[in-house]
Amino acid sequence: MPAGLPRVDAYSNTGHVLLDMIIQNATGHPAHQEIESRILRPLGLDRTRWMGTSPTRPRPHAQAYQLFGPGSRVDVTDQTPVDHANLSWVTTTRDENRFFRALLDGRLLPARRPARMKQTVPVSAEVQQLWPKGRYGLGLVERPLGCGGTYGSHEGGDGGCITLNGVTDDGRRSAVVSMSEARGDTMEHIPEQENAAGALIDHALCATDPDTP
């Protein structure tokens, strides 16, 4: 494994808290202020908001549902009021697309930095169920395209929500699939849902017309 690259099985939300502390120590400003001034405003991401410790999400927002239980004994639970993302952000599919395109087309970072993010290692066998032939770098997942080549991604989720995304290496094409229903919390149904959404991303990125949504 190249020096400095993270292990995909060593992911920790605590790392984000530590990163916030490092940013504040280095700049003298809270991390969310630096993100707003360096990323959101320059890219026009005006639908992305820092939530702080707010227990509610800004309206309008999608309803989120989580499915629990096997077979016909499935309980559908409304997860919308539950906010696990303390000290975090909310965004839209539009802003997410704009961010990923800017990340890889050179508008956001010098070319050497996305190149460093693309120095990837294979994900674990368990994660392969969600990202077949996937590789992981510095905050960027590399996945193969059905039409050849690869694309970058970093999906996410919370109670009742799953979002998959993808952007081509040149940043010209991107796609986001946002699902407001999660089919359980075990590996029994998650790969099926993830693979279906992944197929939509692959189809969108492989379309021959650059203007195809």
Side-chain angles (χ1 to χ4, degrees), residues 56-79:
T56 60
R57 299 183 176 105
R59 295 182 180 275
H61 58 70
Q63 297 292 113
Y65 299 96
Q66 185 89 13
L67 278 64
F68 296 97
S72 60
R73 298 182 58 189
V74 172
D75 293 324
V76 180
T77 304
D78 186 350
Q79 297 285 308

Side-chain angles (χ1 to χ4, degrees), residues 39-62:
I39 300 175
L40 302 189
R41 285 200 290 271
L43 297 181
L45 305 183
D46 54 7
R47 300 179 186 178
T48 301
R49 302 178 186 177
W50 184 69
M51 296 303 296
T53 57
S54 172
T56 60
R57 299 183 176 105
R59 295 182 180 275
H61 58 70

